[in-house]
Amino acid sequence: MCYDVVVVSNASRFLTHDCHRQLSLSMRSLAAKMSGIELPRFPPELALIIACSRWPLGESEEREIQTRAAAPLDWSCFLDWVRRNRIAPLIYHNLRRTACPLAPEAVMARLQGEAAHNARRVLMQIAEGARVTRLLADAGVRSMIIKGPALSVLAFGAPMLRENRDVDLVVDPARVLDADRLITQAGYRRMTPNVELTPPRYEIYRRWRCQFGYYLDSHDLVLELHWSLTSNSLLMPLDLYMLCSRSQTIRVGSASFTTLSDEELFLYLCVHGSVHMWFRLKWLADIAALLQRLHPDVIARVASRAQALGLDRPFHASLILAHELMSAPVPLDVLTKARENRAARKLAIAGCRALNWPGSPGEPSETLWFNTWLSWNAFALKPGLRYRWRELQDQMFSPEDWARVRLPEQLFFLYLPLRPLSWVTRKIQRLVSR
């Protein structure tokens, strides 16, 4: 499948049939009559950002933006929330479209500047993504791009409406070392993990982690090389050969990128957002925008796929949040099943808590207990002792400790018992620094 994309922000391009749009609106109306879960209230600045993150905007969405903008707001706090959620381009586009007179000029100027900065970065990501994938292909290393500009095109119709921080590549696990060598030869330096990997340590790292991180100093660009979609291989156990065989091609300007099929991409985004408990609104905006474009039959196939892989909880929680917060259309039968999933409802409420953590626009990871809370919730993403045992092992594995404490190869086994001590030490240091 190939999309020839012109960079425009016309959402109607995705609504392939008027009847699809009417069906979606009808399902949304019916679902609204059902008793939904009770989600917490958000600060008015965050509530306005949620309203500005919907896509595409209809008359009711525009009226809600204008109503919320009329409430007493701390616009400096509003900008902090935008920065925290990494969603400035979409917020700026939607505020400008509504011609909201209540948004101060200084706020619009700041959003415009951040959107322009993102546009320049996206252009660089497109160029570098094309260069690196071409280098890999020339060496016989097949790769796919996930998220980034390709996702922005699929969800919003333009590569620059989504704020993108890095380029994400997926390769065959057997070719990771070849890809690593080619990427470093292309000028990137590996920053994750920030330690030398001996052959034994490389094998251990590849088993318990799913990516390398690189930085291109000359372009201030981050690239991530994945050989699995999740660190816990039992969370989303997918065959990359199967993913490649069902992939689609996205054309952005003069560049073409291979990415996941609609079904696999949607399910992956649900899992990815759930792993992070949706503490950034941009992840939920992607889901909601795709729900506007994808036909209900596609969502039904994703539901079947999620059930087959044991991923009902993250899938259902994502649908609940997208529908309740972003007014995204969800097929009525799928939404009903999601609301009947008690574990998914708990995850959705936890997602709202993470989105508003700690009741201010500060970065959640900089608070004392957020990462611990996130790690604890990871055990609820999938049922079964086998998955939870693997998750515990995954969390006990910490290559970050390899950099904090340099042990010789003969004493490598000590990293495991040192892990709890390392955790306590970091918490104490955080408390002292506060």
Side-chain angles (χ1 to χ4, degrees), residues 35-39 266 270 278 284 287 291 312-328 330 334-349 352:
S35 57
I37 64 172
E38 186 176 349
L39 298 178
F266 191 91
C270 291
W278 303 105
L284 193 59
I287 291 287
L291 282 168
D312 301 78
R313 294 178 180 183
F315 173 65
H316 286 154
S318 303
L319 295 183
I320 291 171
L321 288 170
H323 178 77
E324 299 289 344
L325 297 184
M326 311 292 288
S327 300
V330 181
V334 179
L335 181 60
T336 300
K337 193 170 183 178
R339 284 172 166 166
E340 292 172 349
N341 188 327
R342 183 179 178 183
R345 293 200 308 268
K346 288 183 177 180
L347 286 176
I349 293 172
C352 289

Side-chain angles (χ1 to χ4, degrees), residues 86-381:
R86 298 181 182 174
I87 201 165
L90 186 59
I91 299 294
Y92 173 67
H93 178 277
N94 284 342
L95 275 178
R96 188 180 61 176
R97 173 175 172 173
T98 59
C100 183
L102 299 168
E105 290 185 9
V107 171
M108 294 300 292
R110 177 71 68 84
L111 292 174
Q112 182 182 23
E114 293 187 15
H117 177 72
N118 179 71
R120 293 190 293 271
R121 181 169 56 223
V122 167
L123 289 174
M124 184 59 64
Q125 289 172 341
I126 293 171
E128 277 300 299
R131 180 173 79 100
V132 173
T133 53
R134 186 169 56 250
L135 287 173
L136 295 176
D138 290 344
V141 180
R142 189 173 183 180
S143 64
M144 285 193 299
I145 279 191
I146 53 175
K147 299 187 296 182
L151 173 57
S152 186
V153 164
L154 286 171
F156 304 105
M160 297 168 188
L161 278 180
R162 185 179 189 272
E163 187 168 323
N164 301 308
R165 292 297 179 101
D166 48 43
V167 176
D168 292 275
L169 291 175
V170 182
V171 299
D172 179 359
R175 302 301 301 273
V176 171
L177 286 180
D178 294 328
D180 175 71
R181 173 177 53 80
L182 291 166
I183 290 171
T184 53
Q185 288 177 354
Y188 290 81
R189 59 181 174 87
R190 195 174 69 203
M191 59 181 186
T192 305
N194 190 23
V195 291
E196 180 183 355
L197 291 179
T198 61
R201 293 194 183 196
Y202 164 74
E203 291 299 331
I204 295 172
Y205 185 89
R206 196 184 72 167
R207 179 183 179 188
W208 297 105
R209 285 293 181 266
C210 64
Q211 66 190 49
F212 286 153
Y214 304 86
Y215 185 70
L216 185 62
D217 296 86
S218 59
H219 294 76
D220 187 26
L221 186 70
V222 176
L223 182 146
E224 292 184 351
L225 177 68
H226 300 254
W227 50 90
S228 176
L229 295 180
T230 55
S231 289
N232 185 336
S233 59
L234 295 183
L235 178 57
M236 197 170 182
L238 297 176
D239 184 344
L240 287 178
Y241 286 105
M242 183 272 293
L243 292 180
C244 289
S245 66
R246 299 177 59 184
S247 62
Q248 59 181 318
T249 300
I250 309 297
R251 187 171 178 82
V252 185
S254 60
S256 295
F257 299 110
T258 301
T259 191
L260 300 171
S261 67
D262 285 341
E263 292 90 342
E264 303 296 349
L265 176 63
F266 191 91
L267 185 56
Y268 167 67
L269 293 176
C270 291
V271 172
H272 177 266
S274 298
V275 165
H276 298 285
M277 282 295 137
W278 303 105
F279 75 86
R280 297 203 200 282
L281 188 62
K282 64 176 289 187
W283 301 322
L284 193 59
D286 296 335
I287 291 287
L290 286 172
L291 282 168
Q292 293 282 0
R293 179 181 76 84
L294 297 178
H295 193 276
D297 289 346
V298 176
I299 302 304
R301 290 198 296 272
V302 179
S304 298
R305 186 79 170 130
Q307 184 175 18
L309 293 173
L311 295 171
D312 301 78
R313 294 178 180 183
F315 173 65
H316 286 154
S318 303
L319 295 183
I320 291 171
L321 288 170
H323 178 77
E324 299 289 344
L325 297 184
M326 311 292 288
S327 300
V330 181
L332 185 57
D333 58 333
V334 179
L335 181 60
T336 300
K337 193 170 183 178
R339 284 172 166 166
E340 292 172 349
N341 188 327
R342 183 179 178 183
R345 293 200 308 268
K346 288 183 177 180
L347 286 176
I349 293 172
C352 289
R353 184 182 178 190
L355 188 61
N356 192 30
W357 191 292
S360 71
E363 188 67 25
S365 60
E366 295 177 359
T367 61
L368 184 60
W369 296 110
F370 179 76
N371 289 335
T372 303
W373 176 82
L374 205 64
S375 298
W376 176 255
N377 277 281
F379 291 97
L381 295 180

Side-chain angles (χ1 to χ4, degrees), residues 388-432:
R388 289 166 184 164
W389 171 241
R390 180 61 184 245
E391 181 63 30
L392 178 62
Q393 292 176 300
D394 187 69
Q395 293 189 22
M396 289 299 292
F397 171 74
S398 178
E400 295 78 16
D401 287 341
W402 301 354
R404 295 187 191 105
V405 181
R406 305 279 181 168
L407 293 179
E409 208 69 31
Q410 307 92 296
L411 300 179
F412 183 82
F413 67 93
L414 291 177
Y415 281 116
L416 181 60
L418 285 174
R419 175 64 170 158
L421 178 62
S422 171
W423 182 86
V424 171
T425 301
R426 285 182 283 113
K427 292 301 177 185
I428 293 175
Q429 291 174 340
R430 181 72 65 87
L431 280 170
V432 171

